[in-house]
Amino acid sequence: MDSSETTPLLSRPNIPVNHMYDEDESDFEDKANATEKILSGEYESLDYDGCENVLYQMEEKKKSVRETMVIEMLRWLVMFFVGVLTGLVASLIDFCVIKSTALKFSIIKQYVEKCVDKECMEIPLLVWVGINGGLVFVAAVLTACFEPVAAGSGIPQIKCYLNGVKVPHVVRLKTIVVKVIGVVCSVAGGLIVGKEGPMIHSGAVIAAGISQGRSDTFRKFDLKIFEFFRADTEKRDFVAGGAAAGVSAAFGAPVGGVLFSLEEGASFWNQALAWRIFFASMMSTFTLNVIQSYIQGIPWDLSYPGLFNFGSFDTTTYSAFEIPIFILMGVLGGLLGALFNKFNYILTKFRKRYINQSRDQVMEAMIVAIITATVGYFSLYFNNNCSPMLHNQDPNSVQFYCNDGQYSSTASILFQSPEDSVKSLFHESKGMYSPSTLIVYCLCVFLLACWTYGLYVPSGLFIPSLLVGAAWGRLVGICLNYIFPNEDWVDFGKYSLIGAAAQLGGIVRMTISLTVIIMEATGNITFGLPIMIVLIVAKWVGDIFNEGIYDMHIHIQGVPLLGWEPSSVLTNLSAREVMSHPVSVFRMKESVGRIMEVLKTETHNGFPVVEDHNPDLQNSSEDEDMSFGTYRGIILRSQLLVLLKQRVFGDNEAHGLTTKDFRDAYPKFTPIRRIHVTQYERENCEMNLEAYMNPAAYCVTDNALFPRIFKLFRALGLRHLVVVNKHHQVVGMVTRKDLARYKVTKKLWKVSVEELAISTQ
Ligand code: ATP
Ligand code: MG
């Protein structure tokens, strides 16, 4: 499919169009920009609108009330297991990270203590670099060589999935194995990453796996009772539950988890589903809680709801006069977030162009690991702030080059996992970190986290963002303390928390779910309003400059994601301008030869089924007003593939195909090149599509406007929408890519619209 072919024939006034992508462009900047003007054809849509064909209707009529209830019960059962298993996986990750990090730091601390007086400080450095390098090597090799889709947090991919885009391999068993091992190695390997984002992805994979009751990797394993769930719609509902369970396990935030699924995939929301998702979330934090209580040695003391919590903020309060300070911090968070995203954007484009071989990807991850370890080490050397030991029992206190009775604040912040560092920044007493330590630390973490996100290792962005924000937030606290000494309201922990929220909001730009996640993680509802204000301001300021980091990565990959709302600048477009024309259609009774031919030569996945149409005339006319027969329904490529494979030629009743045959083939249908029919069958057999097509599929008239089409796609999760004229004849076809290809960019106060081309696969 050539990009120019997919361009609708009618011109579009008011829109500066940028159709073509020039292959010869050699300059990096131009080429990278040009690639972004393409929507990747590689990504197919998921079908969230059920097919109500004759077979389905027969099945529904036969279904007893008991069967319906059993299916409903099974849905709850699946959600139960999704929650429990997500909680278990989270506990496993946490356990491994804690043990390996503790082991690593105890080894390094031993070397430091041995070498401090003997001037052999290069030895602990080498040990540190060696251990980190080794662990990151494992994570990078697994990711780059075995399952690249496990890289990063996985949140953009899950966001795409819930939005209706199939990202290849995203919910595979192999992906979760690589993700879990990889995230343990990258966190323990000292990279500035968190394990919370990957947890959301893991939850989603677990949900997809359990709900299908079978796996590509273990083909013999096949739970027939879950057969009913083998369809995109059902699977998506469970994936939404899994993602929520992941958030819930990561932050001990079950409500935040439900809202995360709502914010990222709101198109399919209904009460019953929300209730089940909430159940999965609750189960996941409960399971994690039980296991953690055993690990901590206090069985059934359920006070560890998440992998990460912010520690106790029970006694912290704020006054109304502090709100302007919070707003200013929100502005700073938005600005710093936009800067972070800009740097990461440049880096991602560079990576896409130059670092696309597995070997180079592993090398880059190793370089970052070594630099992270070295920077940490040298910042100890050059910034060895000594403070009097406040509480001797604190295991994080490291004496390093300080006198007896003192400890090095820089060493303390570095000799722990990033999560513990966030907590230290929130809760340590006022004198613990000097301003210079915080400035150096904040700067290093900002740059390193920016470089790290997008590396070929599983990595979350929440903790690094919180870390940067907590550091500058604490600095704000120190400044306020300087201006208003001896005032009780200047609580460093509070400003550190607000800074962390502002920075995270400025980078990811989520609002609803993030407010609740942070609220649940602090366990203090009083802070709801300041957090909300800070997140809104940070998003608002950040959005002036660029988009959130997840959306940015999604767009760089050319994924056809549909936003919440159609852009207001596109309201004047009509279906005629958006649709594709001419349309490949099939007749109700179509020859096997023609079906084979069309499926082989075209990449489309859906075809209108029509009456009164002569396909021989179709290609001979370039007429824009041409119609393609009276619309009767839609048939999917996947359905045709099953029919061809089962050789349903001629009288279909005789073959007795049921909806079960289609579910069994889901989700991997035999490709057309592997299906063989004889010459005789091609020429003489006909397929009757009437029983298999979806006669109730949505269609619009050619004068429908863009917002209506967009809402249909977004709210109903459509994959194909047929456009008909006033005689109910097919005139065009609209898919998600036709809508997603209008790229609306906001730079400062200027809004511009470009039309992207769709690449061949
Ligand atoms: P998807 O890839 O999302 O599963 P698809 O392959 O059917 O669905 P797209 O890849 O989104 O469709 O379509 C690419 C372009 O082809 C779009 O511009 C779309 O309008 C057009 N198109 C899709 N189906 C047909 C068809 N049957 N006839 C003509 N054009 C079509
Ligand atoms: Mg396609």
Side-chain angles (χ1 to χ4, degrees):
M1 180 175 43
D2 181 50
S3 58
S4 54
E5 250 180 59
T6 62
T7 308
L9 294 173
L10 298 180
S11 64
R12 288 156 203 194
N14 308 334
I15 293 181
V17 174
N18 195 333
H19 285 308
M20 298 310 293
Y21 163 47
D22 184 358
E23 282 289 345
D24 296 332
E25 276 173 298
S26 52
D27 176 45
F28 158 62
E29 194 51 32
D30 284 357
K31 185 125 184 178
N33 284 336
T35 357
E36 254 172 76
K37 297 202 168 105
I38 293 198
L39 217 49
S40 170
E42 180 196 346
Y43 297 101
E44 295 193 340
S45 301
L46 292 160
D47 234 325
Y48 289 162
D49 185 34
C51 171
E52 292 182 2
N53 59 13
V54 175
L55 303 186
Y56 175 79
Q57 289 180 7
M58 269 165 25
E59 186 185 62
E60 285 298 298
K61 276 194 192 120
K62 267 196 248 154
K63 213 186 262 171
S64 64
V65 178
R66 203 172 140 260
E67 271 176 287
T68 319
M69 279 172 65
V70 169
I71 291 175
E72 189 56 20
M73 295 270 294
L74 282 176
R75 285 199 185 106
W76 282 91
L77 191 72
V78 170
M79 284 299 195
F80 172 81
F81 283 117
V82 168
V84 171
L85 219 72
T86 307
L88 286 175
V89 169
S91 312
L92 177 76
I93 295 180
D94 196 43
F95 182 77
C96 297
V97 167
I98 288 178
K99 289 288 167 209
S100 44
T101 322
L103 183 70
K104 183 181 91 174
F105 286 129
S106 74
I107 297 175
I108 297 167
K109 215 166 148 180
Q110 270 172 24
Y111 278 100
V112 170
E113 275 158 10
K114 259 191 244 161
C115 284
V116 147
D117 303 326
K118 295 185 198 145
E119 297 298 321
C120 58
M121 288 306 278
E122 64 288 352
I123 297 179
L125 172 64
L126 286 178
V127 175
W128 192 342
V129 168
I131 298 177
N132 283 4
L135 286 166
V136 172
F137 180 75
V138 175
V141 167
L142 280 175
T143 314
C145 306
F146 293 100
E147 198 50 278
V149 80
S153 65
I155 295 179
Q157 287 87 337
I158 295 305
K159 189 171 169 165
C160 293
Y161 189 94
L162 294 178
N163 194 275
V165 183
K166 193 191 284 177
V167 180
H169 296 200
V170 76
V171 287
R172 287 275 187 84
L173 182 67
K174 200 163 124 194
T175 311
I176 194 176
V177 173
V178 171
K179 195 113 206 170
V180 169
I181 303 177
V183 77
V184 171
C185 292
S186 53
V187 176
L191 288 180
I192 311 237
V193 297
K195 53 189 185 301
E196 285 65 20
M199 218 29 250
I200 299 170
H201 189 177
S202 306
V205 186
I206 290 170
I210 296 185
S211 65
Q212 300 303 293
R214 65 180 177 193
S215 149
D216 271 347
T217 321
F218 303 107
R219 275 161 214 268
K220 290 237 169 76
F221 176 75
D222 193 346
L223 278 180
K224 290 272 187 252
I225 52 162
F226 291 156
E227 189 192 83
F228 190 79
F229 303 142
R230 289 173 192 167
D232 283 343
T233 337
E234 294 281 346
K235 197 167 160 184
R236 172 207 52 192
D237 288 357
F238 292 116
V239 168
V247 176
S248 173
F251 298 100
V255 184
V258 176
L259 290 174
F260 174 84
S261 287
L262 169 72
E263 197 170 0
E264 300 306 345
S267 65
F268 54 92
W269 208 247
N270 65 51
Q271 278 81 349
L273 176 65
W275 198 214
R276 281 198 301 271
I277 294 180
F278 197 22
F279 176 61
S281 289
M282 282 294 186
M283 282 321 300
S284 135
T285 132
F286 177 74
T287 312
L288 183 86
N289 218 330
V290 173
I291 304 221
Q292 290 287 343
S293 70
Y294 272 92
I295 294 176
Q296 307 288 338
I298 331 168
W300 297 99
D301 170 31
L302 303 182
S303 45
Y304 308 94
L307 287 184
F308 177 64
N309 63 69
F310 292 0
S312 166
F313 277 94
D314 289 350
T315 52
T316 324
T317 53
Y318 71 97
S319 308
F321 68 83
E322 289 176 74
I323 290 181
I325 306 178
F326 298 152
I327 293 177
L328 288 179
M329 289 176 78
V331 173
L332 185 59
L335 292 175
L336 288 176
L339 191 70
F340 186 98
N341 293 0
K342 180 75 193 168
F343 282 166
N344 195 266
Y345 174 76
I346 296 170
L347 198 68
T348 311
K349 283 203 302 188
F350 179 84
R351 279 192 181 123
K352 207 170 171 225
R353 177 117 173 79
Y354 294 110
I355 312 182
N356 38 30
Q357 302 292 321
S358 315
R359 193 198 52 205
D360 301 343
Q361 289 159 350
V362 174
M363 286 271 283
E364 196 202 356
M366 297 287 293
I367 292 172
V368 177
I370 292 170
I371 291 184
T372 308
T374 318
V375 167
Y377 201 78
F378 278 100
S379 60
L380 282 180
Y381 244 65
F382 296 116
N383 196 38
N384 189 33
N385 278 300
C386 296
S387 315
M389 195 80 87
L390 294 173
H391 26 130
N392 291 332
Q393 75 282 5
D394 188 350
N396 294 333
S397 304
V398 183
Q399 187 176 350
F400 208 58
Y401 274 132
C402 300
N403 300 329
D404 287 346
Q406 290 192 324
Y407 70 92
S408 155
S409 58
T410 323
S412 306
I413 210 173
L414 286 168
F415 273 43
Q416 52 187 348
S417 69
E419 287 165 21
D420 291 333
S421 305
V422 176
K423 268 200 230 169
S424 303
L425 288 167
F426 285 167
H427 298 292
E428 286 296 353
S429 48
K430 280 194 173 171
M432 179 86 174
Y433 302 116
S434 70
S436 60
T437 307
L438 288 173
I439 292 172
V440 173
Y441 185 72
C442 183
L443 202 71
C444 292
V445 174
F446 184 91
L447 294 174
L448 285 170
C450 192
W451 191 4
T452 310
Y453 192 72
L455 280 186
Y456 271 71
V457 292
S459 61
L461 192 60
F462 275 52
I463 298 293
S465 314
L466 292 174
L467 208 50
V468 174
W472 66 252
R474 208 175 161 96
L475 268 172
V476 173
I478 293 176
C479 290
L480 287 172
N481 192 38
Y482 189 73
I483 304 169
F484 308 101
N486 309 324
E487 292 277 351
D488 277 351
W489 57 268
V490 185
D491 174 348
F492 288 4
K494 174 169 60 182
Y495 286 99
S496 202
L497 174 71
I498 296 292
Q503 184 66 62
L504 184 57
I507 293 177
V508 304
R509 316 268 166 86
M510 295 194 298
T511 44
I512 314 171
S513 51
L514 211 54
T515 308
V516 178
I517 290 174
I518 299 179
M519 233 161 75
E520 286 183 288
T522 49
N524 187 346
I525 306 214
T526 330
F527 272 103
L529 185 71
I531 291 169
M532 189 171 179
I533 293 175
V534 159
L535 287 178
I536 292 174
V537 174
K539 178 174 164 58
W540 188 72
V541 172
D543 279 351
I544 296 175
F545 300 96
N546 48 32
E547 48 190 356
I549 195 145
Y550 299 136
D551 288 340
M552 194 184 89
H553 277 259
I554 288 170
H555 287 140
I556 291 178
Q557 298 301 326
V559 180
L561 191 87
L562 297 181
W564 278 6
E565 300 276 345
S567 172
S568 54
V569 287
L570 297 171
T571 43
N572 59 343
L573 286 180
S574 77
R576 266 201 176 264
E577 290 157 287
V578 178
M579 71 192 194
S580 292
H581 179 105
V583 190
S584 309
V585 296
F586 290 125
R587 288 164 298 178
M588 300 273 262
K589 281 203 165 127
E590 190 59 90
S591 81
V592 172
R594 179 151 187 278
I595 293 181
M596 289 294 289
E597 188 57 33
V598 172
L599 292 189
K600 271 192 182 146
T601 50
E602 290 177 22
T603 60
H604 306 314
N605 286 305
F607 303 89
V609 180
V610 296
E611 270 179 344
D612 315 322
H613 174 60
N614 181 357
D616 299 332
L617 291 179
Q618 180 178 326
N619 298 336
S620 60
S621 171
E622 287 286 305
D623 182 6
E624 286 174 9
D625 292 325
M626 168 148 188
S627 62
F628 303 87
T630 314
Y631 174 63
R632 285 287 170 256
I634 268 199
I635 190 123
L636 297 178
R637 167 183 288 264
S638 59
Q639 292 173 314
L640 291 170
L641 292 174
V642 174
L643 296 176
L644 284 170
K645 197 168 174 225
Q646 307 269 0
R647 315 188 91 67
V648 185
F649 311 141
D651 184 9
N652 54 56
E653 258 84 19
H655 293 84
L657 234 57
T658 63
T659 39
K660 185 175 172 305
D661 297 285
F662 292 91
R663 285 194 202 114
D664 279 347
Y666 177 84
K668 276 193 163 172
F669 300 93
T670 320
I672 190 69
R673 62 190 148 74
R674 297 238 303 273
I675 292 179
H676 301 288
V677 290
T678 62
Q679 194 59 28
Y680 175 82
E681 287 168 331
R682 269 173 194 271
E683 284 165 12
N684 299 298
C685 290
E686 273 194 339
M687 231 186 224
N688 186 350
L689 303 179
E690 198 172 355
Y692 306 105
M693 69 179 194
N694 182 2
Y698 293 93
C699 61
V700 288
T701 49
D702 52 0
N703 48 10
L705 289 183
F706 189 87
R708 171 180 296 268
I709 301 173
F710 188 95
K711 273 183 224 153
L712 275 173
F713 265 87
R714 187 67 173 92
L716 302 172
L718 298 188
R719 187 177 186 184
H720 299 100
L721 186 67
V722 176
V723 183
V724 293
N725 62 16
K726 59 184 179 211
H727 306 296
H728 212 60
Q729 290 163 328
V730 174
V731 288
M733 183 71 148
V734 180
T735 67
R736 151 188 295 274
K737 285 176 202 129
D738 295 319
L739 306 182
R741 72 168 159 203
Y742 294 96
K743 187 178 174 199
V744 181
T745 5
K746 276 191 236 159
K747 273 232 170 93
L748 295 174
W749 280 270
K750 233 180 79 200
V751 180
S752 60
V753 185
E754 277 179 295
E755 198 188 329
L756 313 182
I758 302 173
S759 76
T760 46
Q761 291 176 5

